Amino acid sequence: MARLADYFLVVAFAPGKRGNGDGQGQILQRFPEKDWEDNPFPQGIELFCQPSGWQLFSERSPPTFFIAVLTDINSERHYCACFTFWEAVESTQNRLRSEEEEEEVAALIPPAQLFAPKSLVLVSRLDHADVFRNCLGLIYTIYVDGLGTSLETVIGNLLTCTIPITGGTQRTISLGAGDRQVIQTPITDSLPVSNCSVALLFRQLGITNVLCLFCAALTEHKILFLSSSYQRLTDACRGLLALMFPLKYSFTYVPILPAQLLEVLSTPTPFIIGVSSAFQSETQELLDVIIADLDGGTVTIPECIHISLLPEPLLHQTRDALSVVLDPELEIADLAFPPSTISASSLKMQDKEIRAVFLRLFAQLLQGYRWCLHIIRIHPEPVIRFHKAAFLGQRGLVEDDFLPKVLEGMAFAGFVTERGPPYRASDLFDELVANEAKRMQADEGSKARVLRHIKELAEQLYKNENPYPAVTMHKVQKPAEGCHLRLHQRPFPRLDEGTIQWIIDQATAKLQTAPPAVKAEKKCMVPSGPPLGAIMERNGIVLANSARRLEVVRNCITYVFEGKMLEAKKLLPAVLRAMKSRAARHCLTQELNLHVLQNRAVLDHQQFDFIVRMMNCCLQDCSATDEHGVAAALLPLVTAFCRKLSPGITQFAYSCVQEHLVWTNIQFWEAMFYCDVQNHIRALYLEGAEENGVQKGNDEGPQKERAALEIAAEQCCHWPTLSREKQQELIQKEESTVFSQAIHYANRMSYLLLPLDTSKSRLLRGSGLGDAESVSNSFITNSIAGSVADSYDTESGFEEAESSDVANYVVRFINRFVDKVCTESGVTNEHLKGLHVMIPDIVQMHIETLDAVHRESKRLPPIQKPKLLRPSLLIGEESVMEGLRVYLMPDGREEAAGGNMGGPPLLPAEGAIFLTTYRIIFKGTPTDPLVGEQVVVRSFPIASLTKEEKITVQAQVDQFIQEGCAQLQLRSCTFQLLRIAFDEEVASESAEVFRKHLNKLRYPQHVSDTFAFTAGQLTKQTVQPKSKEKNPSLRSISKILVKNAKKTIGRQYVTRKKYTPPAWEQRGSQQHFPDDHEDEISVSEEVERSTLTPSTTIRPSDKMTMSHLVERACCRDYQRLGLGTLSNSLTRSKNEPFRISTVNRMYAICRSYPGLLIVPQSIQDNTLQRISRCYRQNRFPVVCWRNSRTKAVLLRSGGLHGKGVVGLFKSQNAPATGPSQADSTSLEQEKYLQAVVNSMPHSAEAGGRNTLSGFTSAQMSSAGKWGSIRASGRMSSYALNMEIGSRLAGKELLSIPPNGSPSEASFLRQHRASLYIIGDKSQLRGVKPDPLQHWEVVPIEVFEARQVKTSFKKLMKACVPGSPSAEPGVTYLRSLEESEWLVQIHKILQISVLVVELLDTGSSVLVSLEDGWDITTQVVSLVQLLSDPYYRTLEGFRLLIEKEWLSFGHRFSHRGAQTLASQSSGFTPIFLQFLDCVHQIHLQFPLEFEFSQYYLKFLSYHAVSARFRTFLLDSDYERLELGLLYEEKGDRKGSPQLFRSVWDYIDRLNRKVPIFFNYMYAPEDGEVLRPYSNISNLKVWDYYIQETLSEGPSYDWELVQGQAEPSEEAGQPDTNAPQSKRKIIWPCYDNRSRMEPDAISRLLEELQNLEMELGQVPERWKETWDKVKTFQRSEAQADSSSRVAASSLLMASSLPHQRRSLGVYLQESGVSSTINLSLDSDASSTSTPSSGKQGGRKSTSTLYSQFQTAESENRSYEGSLYKKGAFMKPWKPRWFVLDKTKHQLRYYDNRLDTECKGVIDLAEVESITPGTPTMGAPKMVDEKAFFDLKTTKRVYNFCAQDVQLAQQWIDRIQSCLSDA
């Protein structure tokens, strides 16, 4: 029972100090005058009676009533009901005031009537607003209407009236004035009473605004209500509080704030306050207050405030539910026939419905909260803590903005204290959480069901406030209308204190004598509801986790403990990936738990390592709060798993998992501590119960597990019945349990906080120190886990300053923790003091233990890493650096890393990098254990290294790679890239040593230090020629040659930068160049005259030299071409136009030319020396090839000195000897060219074919012949007829030449020139046309060597990108285009085809570009290759390279940057570019080359590998000097395996294995090739993009075959696996040509194997092949009668190019039936139909684009044929149309039919054979008129009218097929 009212007051106006209109409140009377003991009188009530201030008014106002709320110091709320009316101020008082004021104010105020407020106030702790209003109204009525009842009695009765607080009773009271009121008490006082306040709040502000305020209040923001009505303010505040149920607002709560206290608004704490809107202006400057204007319906949120809203989907659901409740008509607003009545709830009911929505909201928000309560004490009263992190983790709301703030808030702390205890009275909210969870979840989708639930809850809430709906009416007198306006109203009388006090005393006495009312407490055990997990699963917030993943985790752990380390290693990456998911992390902890016996699990080193790795990975994805309890589950495990380091020293897992933030989070430790305490206290009470429960347990099974809260409830229930001693005993037991746990935790914390190496001041990051980011989540793989490099002084003990810092920090951290948890859980002070003494000792002891562990762990061998695989080396290759353990990282090529091609991730791979004298080799195994059995090899010759740089990888590519390890990227021009990261065990010094060695090997001092020279020799080879004893003549040569050049020949020679044309003066003078001209070795001209003067007789000492020179490739080739023999030249027979000159035999004229040169017969040797000076590097024009048919010759030379051809004659830089010599030189130059012209048989003929007639537009993309070669500019226009002129140069040539000569001169001679000089445009500027000369200059623009260099760099980056890109395909194509490599290939091919064309039409050509050794060499070699079939054989191609590239001095060493000197010039792959051009031609004419594509790749590789001496040095002169040029056959010392020359190697290999041979070789005699050079016709060479990771580059054949002799066949992979026919071939891993050899190789191989089995001596493959070929040819001739027509048709076709390129497609198709195709040209032409299936289709598309489609061609041949229907259908006549263009056979119903009935694609046709009549065939037709057409899909049967027609059809179709 409680008093209805505690105090009654009369408060009146009292004038202010200053005496103006503002006054103050004054309590006139208060009853009772003494304070109640249980409820002291609240101070400051007078302020609240007039919140806007006490003022006098000039007119009466009607009485007002409102309730203000005061909160006392004990946070009890007092409800002050203020009833205010106005009384006239006595005039005397008025008069007094005016007198006082007269001095200041000159009597401005007329003595008008003024009214002062007076308030009657009730103070109560109960909130019965209506009752208070009625009571005060009654008192006022008695006073105003002068009723007979005494006011004292009424007030006395009011103050002594007592009513029950709760229980849902109904009480009638009367104050003794004939009144009657019924008071209903709420059923439970825990539910707030709201009347209509909530509904009104929503009505005023709307749904969104109220939700906003609701969230703001829960997240502790400041909220201010404004309204002009005080009652509205009170209602709004009460409504907001009612919404927050079951949370209670515990901050400042002032529904009506008086004006005098407005500064309270700037308080820093949160509040809910109401202020009259009169003071709105004062609230403007509040920056952090949310202002809700009730009258205007707005909520203003300042910019600096962010309100966290409810998490979705709750926010959305709440909004929907509210709109349904508040606006029921919304649902039916769109209906065509809305229901006539819609039952809108009354305001009071609506109020409860809204509250029901919020009640459901809280039930959903706090669902399962009881499962996260930790009970840490039960007696003397329960102490309960809430595990926030676990709750948020289970709800999946860790990242949420709203709920964590609510849980951190004061309101929630109160909620836990109030609702935590397990044994108490429960209310609606408890039931809702416990029993309705499933229902609320089921209702989610359906609005109707949600509404039904809301209505049910609303009913209960309504019933709580109004337990008795049929209330007997109140009967309270009210004053007459307008009574407040009565003029002569007497003031409120002074009440008699005595009377009232007497009444109060009487009542008090009576109450004391009455027996105390015993309130029956309905306590019970509060139900917990379903656990969170069960609810959340359905929500799908839990990551979908396949059972497979968990299976993998379990298997891996099982393998670890069974010691199956290889299996475990395979699964480990999958396990580490799975750790991203929560379920897998929990699974890991559960599995590990199973392996702990009696709190200990001793592992061996490898097991320990695996377990630590898993734990670290598991923890790395946990946040510091550990919301999923993973760290909590691991905590007991890290102190259980250990390994023995040495006797008596054990290392535990905790020393390896300290790197995680969670250990430094004090909240984590608290939650863990409370959880453990709860378990122990539960155990404490379970032990007692166990004896009784043993038998029961067996029946109940799993039910036996009882929650701690249940046990606590049970204990609380029994507590009052226990004896005093028993109670004390329990309290003591609990206290000591908590205390022992505190000691345990102090130990645990020291384990995880003290680093293994305490000598380092490695303080922990996190909570108190530093920021979270600094923590690395790196794995600790080494078994010395947390230990550090030796650089730290490990001996230092803990006495030192730093370690004691760590110790102090840890002690402070633990002390802070212990203080907090022990005070909260009621540990006694003595115990707490004891703990504080213990902690430093615990830490100190642990540091000592760790020191020993640290020392031992340093001695441990590093963990077992994969064994380093040793690469096999070549004979003579020696290891320079033993393997350094590295990881090979993936680069931008995605195949190996398992990119979008699929396939296993071969990279990253773990292995070692080896450095040998020849190569850099990586050999290892993939880190992905699924492909762990594979071996990954990447290697390249050191000489091909183009760039070595240190890199840093942003992303941690692999968990094995430690941060801070050296990482290198090595790029090679064999298109290999090694991105390596050194393992942590490799000291950084070793990595540096590796780099130094690498650089030293890459750029040796001299060529003689390269591998080709040093291979297999222990001592460095001297620079002496080897053959000096045998060869006396060589010594003399060397003497003469080197006499004065010695100075420059040494190191300077090698260090030259680039060749620049020397000045004429220096040429003529007798001195040699100063040293800074390192461009060329100059031999001073003190040589004996005799060597320079031509002489018919050679001195005996030179005889040997000559015989050697004759042996050279050049000479052999000159003889083959009929350009003269040496003997011939010496006898000077005049009938030959050319002779071999020995003028350069001492390399005196031109250092970079061969010793023997072909020159015109008529030119003397001494003339040559003079001519040579006009050309760069003295490279004067010499003949290198002659066309056997037209006798046109191809000449090569360096570019001209001076400004052009004219510069030869009118040279400004003439030699010092004077003009006469210049003239003679120019004349000789002219004479020389003329001699070349005269040497041609038809030089005298006039007319002749146009130069370029054979050159079709198909081959040149631009309109003019030269258009695409010449970019712009003028060109000599003499000796051109109109057609050539326009063709060669486009239109501009027809304009007047710059020198002003009349253009008519151009057309004087109507024939082609005899000699075309192809030169640099820049050189040939300003050339004067001379109509009488027989030569013509073609200026073209070519690219320079440096452009090739840049282009190649870009090409390498495109084909082998260093890092992955987002869109590999697009990026590749883009960078390929930017490199312009194909543009350069196009340019070279274009020039070459042009020269071929000119030579073929009988004009000679002189190629005179740059220095004559780069592009000149490329063009000249390609021209010979295209024109002369001999060079397309293996022997011929070798000869071509030896002649044009080696003898004519292409600077291999310089361009390949092979030595230190040429390092700066960089790698310029001129030779590679040439081979790429050959590859392009090979692709277009696969039948024309005897050698295969592999041969070209092989040469490309070894041109830069420096394995052979062939491609070293810059000229024959240098080779001679090193004694390489004439190395004799028997002169090879040492092992026969060491090949000096690449050609010997190729010959030997080719005899054994057909890898260099092209089976499709079927040349046509004298065929001149004219390849397409458009970029669209060029392909990127697969040499650039293919790699074979299984064995490395396949160009060192011995290595690929293992150490066995290369005689083993290529196609046999060695497999130890069970022999199965199926093989998986990975594009970047396996060598495809070996794993899947083509049909012929396979057959040859099988043949050889059979011969071996039969014990025969295997025949050489070439002999076998030739036999088969001859047999095939004879067979073909015998069988050729039926195919003559087809082949002749084919020959007649004007598409020789296309026909020859047919083989491309056949080659790709890889069908073994093509075997006869490649044998010879007859077969190839006739057997086309049976070619590969794809073959035809591809070629047709190419063909198709060749034709101009004309209507006539669409029907190449047509006629009527009978055709048999498919399956069982009959024969029918059809009209057939053969369409060559579309390459198909169509048929129609009849001739006029336009709708095609069917199409036979000729690409699918396999053969045409004579047929036989079948059932239902047309009668009366000759049998031979039947023929069958076999396609890949079916066989078509045809029948023609007669035999001839049938034959015609067969022929037509055959020819169509052949054309394809």
Side-chain angles (χ1 to χ4, degrees), residues 213-230:
L213 288 178
F214 169 75
C215 293
L218 282 178
T219 51
E220 303 186 351
H221 287 289
K222 305 178 185 179
I223 297 173
L224 178 64
F225 286 105
L226 293 178
S227 173
S228 51
S229 151
Y230 298 131

PDB file of all heavy atoms in Angstrom, residues 213-230:
ATOM      1  N   LEU A 213      13.660   9.645 -32.722  1.00  0.00           N
ATOM      2  CA  LEU A 213      13.837  10.018 -31.319  1.00  0.00           C
ATOM      3  C   LEU A 213      14.068   8.773 -30.459  1.00  0.00           C
ATOM      4  O   LEU A 213      14.882   8.776 -29.531  1.00  0.00           O
ATOM      5  CB  LEU A 213      12.577  10.743 -30.797  1.00  0.00           C
ATOM      6  CG  LEU A 213      12.358  12.168 -31.323  1.00  0.00           C
ATOM      7  CD1 LEU A 213      11.081  12.728 -30.759  1.00  0.00           C
ATOM      8  CD2 LEU A 213      13.528  13.066 -30.940  1.00  0.00           C
ATOM      9  N   PHE A 214      13.349   7.717 -30.786  1.00  0.00           N
ATOM     10  CA  PHE A 214      13.471   6.469 -30.036  1.00  0.00           C
ATOM     11  C   PHE A 214      14.925   5.962 -30.106  1.00  0.00           C
ATOM     12  O   PHE A 214      15.546   5.634 -29.095  1.00  0.00           O
ATOM     13  CB  PHE A 214      12.499   5.449 -30.660  1.00  0.00           C
ATOM     14  CG  PHE A 214      12.681   4.039 -30.195  1.00  0.00           C
ATOM     15  CD1 PHE A 214      12.252   3.652 -28.925  1.00  0.00           C
ATOM     16  CD2 PHE A 214      13.257   3.085 -31.017  1.00  0.00           C
ATOM     17  CE1 PHE A 214      12.411   2.328 -28.507  1.00  0.00           C
ATOM     18  CE2 PHE A 214      13.412   1.781 -30.606  1.00  0.00           C
ATOM     19  CZ  PHE A 214      12.994   1.400 -29.342  1.00  0.00           C
ATOM     20  N   CYS A 215      15.472   5.948 -31.333  1.00  0.00           N
ATOM     21  CA  CYS A 215      16.862   5.470 -31.488  1.00  0.00           C
ATOM     22  C   CYS A 215      17.828   6.419 -30.804  1.00  0.00           C
ATOM     23  O   CYS A 215      18.815   5.990 -30.204  1.00  0.00           O
ATOM     24  CB  CYS A 215      17.207   5.348 -32.964  1.00  0.00           C
ATOM     25  SG  CYS A 215      16.272   4.052 -33.770  1.00  0.00           S
ATOM     26  N   ALA A 216      17.533   7.725 -30.882  1.00  0.00           N
ATOM     27  CA  ALA A 216      18.427   8.704 -30.255  1.00  0.00           C
ATOM     28  C   ALA A 216      18.444   8.499 -28.747  1.00  0.00           C
ATOM     29  O   ALA A 216      19.485   8.556 -28.095  1.00  0.00           O
ATOM     30  CB  ALA A 216      17.975  10.108 -30.611  1.00  0.00           C
ATOM     31  N   ALA A 217      17.255   8.261 -28.160  1.00  0.00           N
ATOM     32  CA  ALA A 217      17.192   8.082 -26.710  1.00  0.00           C
ATOM     33  C   ALA A 217      17.955   6.820 -26.306  1.00  0.00           C
ATOM     34  O   ALA A 217      18.695   6.814 -25.328  1.00  0.00           O
ATOM     35  CB  ALA A 217      15.735   7.979 -26.272  1.00  0.00           C
ATOM     36  N   LEU A 218      17.824   5.740 -27.113  1.00  0.00           N
ATOM     37  CA  LEU A 218      18.502   4.492 -26.757  1.00  0.00           C
ATOM     38  C   LEU A 218      20.009   4.609 -26.925  1.00  0.00           C
ATOM     39  O   LEU A 218      20.766   3.932 -26.250  1.00  0.00           O
ATOM     40  CB  LEU A 218      17.995   3.345 -27.636  1.00  0.00           C
ATOM     41  CG  LEU A 218      16.634   2.778 -27.250  1.00  0.00           C
ATOM     42  CD1 LEU A 218      16.246   1.690 -28.214  1.00  0.00           C
ATOM     43  CD2 LEU A 218      16.649   2.220 -25.838  1.00  0.00           C
ATOM     44  N   THR A 219      20.433   5.439 -27.879  1.00  0.00           N
ATOM     45  CA  THR A 219      21.886   5.565 -28.087  1.00  0.00           C
ATOM     46  C   THR A 219      22.425   6.798 -27.360  1.00  0.00           C
ATOM     47  O   THR A 219      23.476   7.329 -27.706  1.00  0.00           O
ATOM     48  CB  THR A 219      22.215   5.639 -29.589  1.00  0.00           C
ATOM     49  OG1 THR A 219      21.398   6.648 -30.178  1.00  0.00           O
ATOM     50  CG2 THR A 219      21.942   4.321 -30.275  1.00  0.00           C
ATOM     51  N   GLU A 220      21.665   7.260 -26.381  1.00  0.00           N
ATOM     52  CA  GLU A 220      22.153   8.269 -25.440  1.00  0.00           C
ATOM     53  C   GLU A 220      22.504   9.600 -26.080  1.00  0.00           C
ATOM     54  O   GLU A 220      23.587  10.124 -25.925  1.00  0.00           O
ATOM     55  CB  GLU A 220      23.347   7.704 -24.632  1.00  0.00           C
ATOM     56  CG  GLU A 220      22.964   6.439 -23.896  1.00  0.00           C
ATOM     57  CD  GLU A 220      24.046   5.907 -22.967  1.00  0.00           C
ATOM     58  OE1 GLU A 220      25.171   6.426 -23.004  1.00  0.00           O
ATOM     59  OE2 GLU A 220      23.746   4.981 -22.205  1.00  0.00           O
ATOM     60  N   HIS A 221      21.540  10.128 -26.805  1.00  0.00           N
ATOM     61  CA  HIS A 221      21.681  11.498 -27.303  1.00  0.00           C
ATOM     62  C   HIS A 221      20.821  12.418 -26.437  1.00  0.00           C
ATOM     63  O   HIS A 221      19.969  11.968 -25.678  1.00  0.00           O
ATOM     64  CB  HIS A 221      21.226  11.586 -28.754  1.00  0.00           C
ATOM     65  CG  HIS A 221      22.188  10.967 -29.708  1.00  0.00           C
ATOM     66  ND1 HIS A 221      23.398  11.513 -30.002  1.00  0.00           N
ATOM     67  CD2 HIS A 221      22.118   9.814 -30.445  1.00  0.00           C
ATOM     68  CE1 HIS A 221      24.049  10.759 -30.866  1.00  0.00           C
ATOM     69  NE2 HIS A 221      23.293   9.703 -31.147  1.00  0.00           N
ATOM     70  N   LYS A 222      21.013  13.736 -26.597  1.00  0.00           N
ATOM     71  CA  LYS A 222      20.207  14.707 -25.839  1.00  0.00           C
ATOM     72  C   LYS A 222      18.970  15.044 -26.658  1.00  0.00           C
ATOM     73  O   LYS A 222      19.083  15.364 -27.837  1.00  0.00           O
ATOM     74  CB  LYS A 222      21.019  15.980 -25.613  1.00  0.00           C
ATOM     75  CG  LYS A 222      22.351  15.718 -24.936  1.00  0.00           C
ATOM     76  CD  LYS A 222      23.129  16.998 -24.792  1.00  0.00           C
ATOM     77  CE  LYS A 222      24.513  16.724 -24.229  1.00  0.00           C
ATOM     78  NZ  LYS A 222      25.303  17.932 -24.107  1.00  0.00           N
ATOM     79  N   ILE A 223      17.810  14.976 -25.956  1.00  0.00           N
ATOM     80  CA  ILE A 223      16.552  15.219 -26.678  1.00  0.00           C
ATOM     81  C   ILE A 223      15.786  16.324 -25.961  1.00  0.00           C
ATOM     82  O   ILE A 223      15.645  16.299 -24.729  1.00  0.00           O
ATOM     83  CB  ILE A 223      15.702  13.935 -26.716  1.00  0.00           C
ATOM     84  CG1 ILE A 223      16.463  12.859 -27.492  1.00  0.00           C
ATOM     85  CG2 ILE A 223      14.344  14.190 -27.333  1.00  0.00           C
ATOM     86  CD1 ILE A 223      15.820  11.514 -27.453  1.00  0.00           C
ATOM     87  N   LEU A 224      15.305  17.292 -26.731  1.00  0.00           N
ATOM     88  CA  LEU A 224      14.559  18.421 -26.150  1.00  0.00           C
ATOM     89  C   LEU A 224      13.216  18.523 -26.857  1.00  0.00           C
ATOM     90  O   LEU A 224      13.158  18.583 -28.086  1.00  0.00           O
ATOM     91  CB  LEU A 224      15.368  19.720 -26.357  1.00  0.00           C
ATOM     92  CG  LEU A 224      14.727  20.997 -25.852  1.00  0.00           C
ATOM     93  CD1 LEU A 224      14.582  20.949 -24.341  1.00  0.00           C
ATOM     94  CD2 LEU A 224      15.562  22.208 -26.225  1.00  0.00           C
ATOM     95  N   PHE A 225      12.116  18.506 -26.038  1.00  0.00           N
ATOM     96  CA  PHE A 225      10.788  18.698 -26.619  1.00  0.00           C
ATOM     97  C   PHE A 225      10.382  20.152 -26.441  1.00  0.00           C
ATOM     98  O   PHE A 225      10.638  20.753 -25.392  1.00  0.00           O
ATOM     99  CB  PHE A 225       9.758  17.810 -25.903  1.00  0.00           C
ATOM    100  CG  PHE A 225       9.871  16.354 -26.276  1.00  0.00           C
ATOM    101  CD1 PHE A 225      10.434  15.427 -25.406  1.00  0.00           C
ATOM    102  CD2 PHE A 225       9.392  15.901 -27.497  1.00  0.00           C
ATOM    103  CE1 PHE A 225      10.537  14.094 -25.740  1.00  0.00           C
ATOM    104  CE2 PHE A 225       9.492  14.560 -27.829  1.00  0.00           C
ATOM    105  CZ  PHE A 225      10.067  13.655 -26.958  1.00  0.00           C
ATOM    106  N   LEU A 226       9.732  20.704 -27.442  1.00  0.00           N
ATOM    107  CA  LEU A 226       9.190  22.065 -27.323  1.00  0.00           C
ATOM    108  C   LEU A 226       7.692  21.994 -27.531  1.00  0.00           C
ATOM    109  O   LEU A 226       7.208  21.311 -28.432  1.00  0.00           O
ATOM    110  CB  LEU A 226       9.777  22.972 -28.410  1.00  0.00           C
ATOM    111  CG  LEU A 226      11.263  23.297 -28.343  1.00  0.00           C
ATOM    112  CD1 LEU A 226      11.652  24.158 -29.535  1.00  0.00           C
ATOM    113  CD2 LEU A 226      11.594  24.033 -27.072  1.00  0.00           C
ATOM    114  N   SER A 227       6.948  22.714 -26.670  1.00  0.00           N
ATOM    115  CA  SER A 227       5.504  22.838 -26.911  1.00  0.00           C
ATOM    116  C   SER A 227       5.007  24.010 -26.081  1.00  0.00           C
ATOM    117  O   SER A 227       5.620  24.379 -25.076  1.00  0.00           O
ATOM    118  CB  SER A 227       4.766  21.572 -26.501  1.00  0.00           C
ATOM    119  OG  SER A 227       3.378  21.796 -26.610  1.00  0.00           O
ATOM    120  N   SER A 228       3.890  24.576 -26.503  1.00  0.00           N
ATOM    121  CA  SER A 228       3.326  25.672 -25.696  1.00  0.00           C
ATOM    122  C   SER A 228       2.483  25.087 -24.565  1.00  0.00           C
ATOM    123  O   SER A 228       2.061  25.801 -23.671  1.00  0.00           O
ATOM    124  CB  SER A 228       2.490  26.591 -26.583  1.00  0.00           C
ATOM    125  OG  SER A 228       1.587  25.795 -27.318  1.00  0.00           O
ATOM    126  N   SER A 229       2.212  23.763 -24.627  1.00  0.00           N
ATOM    127  CA  SER A 229       1.405  23.152 -23.567  1.00  0.00           C
ATOM    128  C   SER A 229       2.298  22.316 -22.662  1.00  0.00           C
ATOM    129  O   SER A 229       3.035  21.457 -23.135  1.00  0.00           O
ATOM    130  CB  SER A 229       0.338  22.252 -24.200  1.00  0.00           C
ATOM    131  OG  SER A 229       0.027  21.203 -23.322  1.00  0.00           O
ATOM    132  N   TYR A 230       2.189  22.586 -21.347  1.00  0.00           N
ATOM    133  CA  TYR A 230       3.008  21.820 -20.409  1.00  0.00           C
ATOM    134  C   TYR A 230       2.552  20.374 -20.353  1.00  0.00           C
ATOM    135  O   TYR A 230       3.345  19.447 -20.239  1.00  0.00           O
ATOM    136  CB  TYR A 230       2.923  22.436 -19.004  1.00  0.00           C
ATOM    137  CG  TYR A 230       3.464  23.857 -18.961  1.00  0.00           C
ATOM    138  CD1 TYR A 230       2.742  24.894 -18.376  1.00  0.00           C
ATOM    139  CD2 TYR A 230       4.713  24.140 -19.503  1.00  0.00           C
ATOM    140  CE1 TYR A 230       3.249  26.175 -18.348  1.00  0.00           C
ATOM    141  CE2 TYR A 230       5.225  25.430 -19.474  1.00  0.00           C
ATOM    142  CZ  TYR A 230       4.484  26.454 -18.903  1.00  0.00           C
ATOM    143  OH  TYR A 230       4.983  27.722 -18.886  1.00  0.00           O
TER     144      TYR A 230
END
